Amino acid sequence: MVRRDIVRGHNDATYDIVPKQDQLFNVEFLEIAPTPIIADRVFFVYLRGYLPESTNTLALYDKGLVDATLTVSGSVIYPDGRYEDPRSLTIP
């Protein structure tokens, strides 16, 4: 059985490719409203987190965070069982 790390907050999000303990950004809270998201409607996402205090400017440069990005993925499962494959959005 695969262990799934759930992201704290009101959401259905989980850590996926990069395990929680290996994340450079510590997520404190993720709010998605409404949940579940209603098709063809506006929804809101609030993400709060931090970089660990032990990470200084030089360490950020050494870890390649100068060009860091945030990638968010999502997929859809409709009530009738149809689904859409996951799509990703990468933000600089």
Side-chain angles (χ1 to χ4, degrees), residues 58-75:
L58 182 58
L60 291 176
Y61 180 77
D62 291 342
K63 291 182 179 180
L65 291 181
V66 170
D67 297 322
T69 59
L70 172 67
T71 300
V72 179
S73 302
S75 62

Side-chain angles (χ1 to χ4, degrees), residues 43-60:
F43 65 94
F44 299 89
V45 177
Y46 173 71
L47 173 65
R48 183 176 72 199
Y50 62 93
L51 292 170
E53 288 183 25
S54 63
T55 308
N56 61 33
T57 306
L58 182 58
L60 291 176

